[in-house]
């Protein structure tokens, strides 16, 4: 149930207060006029839908890169664990390094930290291990390890880019401002269209429901654009992409 209520926050409260206050003042001071709401609807709905589609695509890209991240780690792990020349203690050492890469990077995605120094250092330790144990690793196996480490680096960089860069702030601010001022135009128009015979609660209901839908779409987009924090209903289950899940 908490997941369904996650789209309700302080913005929802602000919008509902503005909606109720606007309609109340319109009735009190007898304010009503007829305005074509088509352009205003496009000015709000189109940018929100555009942002939601962009956020959804980022989420789908994140899933692809996470799959590549885990598969690359697992493949490197398989290559080195099947190396008959390598002693068991060395196998455990590299296995711990790969698990540390998995855990530290997943934890990095779940946090707000944008720094990657710790991640870079732990990934570079794979190179140090391969160089130090060069006599235990055949050249062909080394080439395979580096090939899949390249895939790992690509997925890490792509995921970090998704982690850091979000929907353009200016577009979100534009949508937020129009949602807040929309009742000022929408309220009098609804009262005009309903006519003086209609009960007042109808205007309140229509404006409140419309604004609730708009702000809920905005909140959904806001959650969807950062799919790693386990707050929204559609967030990625990052634990499924750890090397040992």
């Amino acid at each position: 149930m908490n997941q369904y209520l996650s789209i309700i926050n302080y913005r929802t409260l602000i919008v509902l207060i503005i909606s109720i206050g606007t309609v109340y003042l319109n009735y009190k001071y007898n304010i009503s006029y007829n305005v074509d709401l088509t352009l205003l609807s496009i000015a709000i709905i189109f940018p929100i839908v555009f942002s939601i589609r962009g956020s959804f695509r980022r989420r789908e890209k994140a899933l692809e890169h996470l799959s590549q991240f885990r598969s690359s780690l697992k493949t490197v792990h398989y290559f080195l664990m099947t190396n008959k020349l390598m002693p068991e203690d060395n196998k455990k050492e590299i296995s711990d390094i790969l698990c540390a890469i998995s855990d530290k990077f997943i934890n990095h995605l779940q946090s707000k930290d944008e720094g990657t120094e710790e991640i870079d250092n732990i990934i570079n330790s794979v190179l140090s291990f391969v160089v130090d144990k060069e006599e235990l690793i055949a050249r062909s196996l080394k080439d395979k390890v580096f090939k899949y480490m390249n895939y790992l680096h690509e997925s890490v960089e792509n995921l970090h880019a998704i982690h850091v860069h979000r929907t353009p702030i200016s577009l979100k601010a534009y949508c937020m401002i129009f949602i807040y001022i929309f009742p000022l135009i929408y309220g009098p128009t609804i009262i005009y269209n309903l006519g003086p015979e209609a009960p007042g609660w109808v205007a309140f209901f229509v404006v409140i429901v419309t604004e609730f839908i708009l702000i809920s779409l905005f909140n959904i987009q806001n959650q969807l654009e950062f799919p790693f924090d386990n707050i929204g209903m559609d967030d990625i289950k990052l634990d499924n992409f750890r090397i040992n899940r």
Side-chain angles (χ1 to χ4, degrees), residues 25-120:
L25 292 175
N26 292 154
Y27 274 117
K28 182 177 180 179
Y29 296 103
N30 196 26
I31 300 174
S32 63
Y33 45 72
N34 188 23
V35 175
D36 185 3
L37 298 175
T38 303
L39 293 178
L40 287 173
S41 299
I42 294 175
I44 299 175
I45 296 297
F46 178 76
I48 292 178
V49 173
F50 176 80
S51 299
I52 290 176
R53 290 181 62 187
S55 298
F56 181 77
R57 288 172 181 169
R58 291 173 69 255
R59 178 182 179 275
E60 295 304 298
K61 281 293 183 183
L63 287 170
E64 292 179 13
H65 298 314
L66 281 167
S67 298
Q68 184 181 31
F69 169 78
R70 185 176 187 275
S71 63
S72 299
L73 277 179
K74 292 294 288 185
T75 304
V76 172
H77 184 264
Y78 293 152
F79 282 150
L80 296 175
M81 291 302 103
T82 55
N83 183 9
K84 296 181 180 180
L85 299 177
M86 187 177 295
E88 290 301 320
D89 57 337
N90 292 142
K91 290 182 179 180
K92 184 179 185 307
E93 179 184 354
I94 189 61
S95 179
D96 292 341
I97 292 174
L98 296 176
C99 289
I101 292 173
S102 174
D103 292 338
K104 287 183 181 297
F105 187 65
I106 293 298
N107 294 338
H108 167 73
L109 292 179
Q110 292 174 330
S111 70
K112 300 293 184 180
D113 184 19
E114 297 182 0
T116 60
E117 182 177 358
E118 187 177 5
I119 305 298
D120 293 336

Side-chain angles (χ1 to χ4, degrees), residues 159-177:
L159 286 166
H160 179 66
I162 294 174
H163 176 268
V164 173
H165 301 285
R166 317 282 178 82
T167 301
I169 297 176
S170 57
L171 182 60
K172 289 184 63 177
Y174 164 86
C175 294
M176 193 76 266
I177 291 172

Side-chain angles (χ1 to χ4, degrees), residues 143-203:
D143 291 340
K144 292 177 181 177
V145 169
F146 287 153
K147 174 184 177 181
Y148 282 91
M149 287 303 296
N150 176 54
Y151 296 155
L152 178 71
H153 277 286
E154 287 182 0
S155 61
V156 166
E157 294 302 322
N158 283 313
L159 286 166
H160 179 66
I162 294 174
H163 176 268
V164 173
H165 301 285
R166 317 282 178 82
T167 301
I169 297 176
S170 57
L171 182 60
K172 289 184 63 177
Y174 164 86
C175 294
M176 193 76 266
I177 291 172
F178 265 89
I179 290 173
Y180 282 153
I181 67 174
F182 187 62
L184 304 177
I185 303 171
Y186 190 56
T189 304
I190 289 297
I191 294 174
Y192 178 89
N193 292 332
L194 290 175
E197 297 82 10
W201 67 267
V202 177

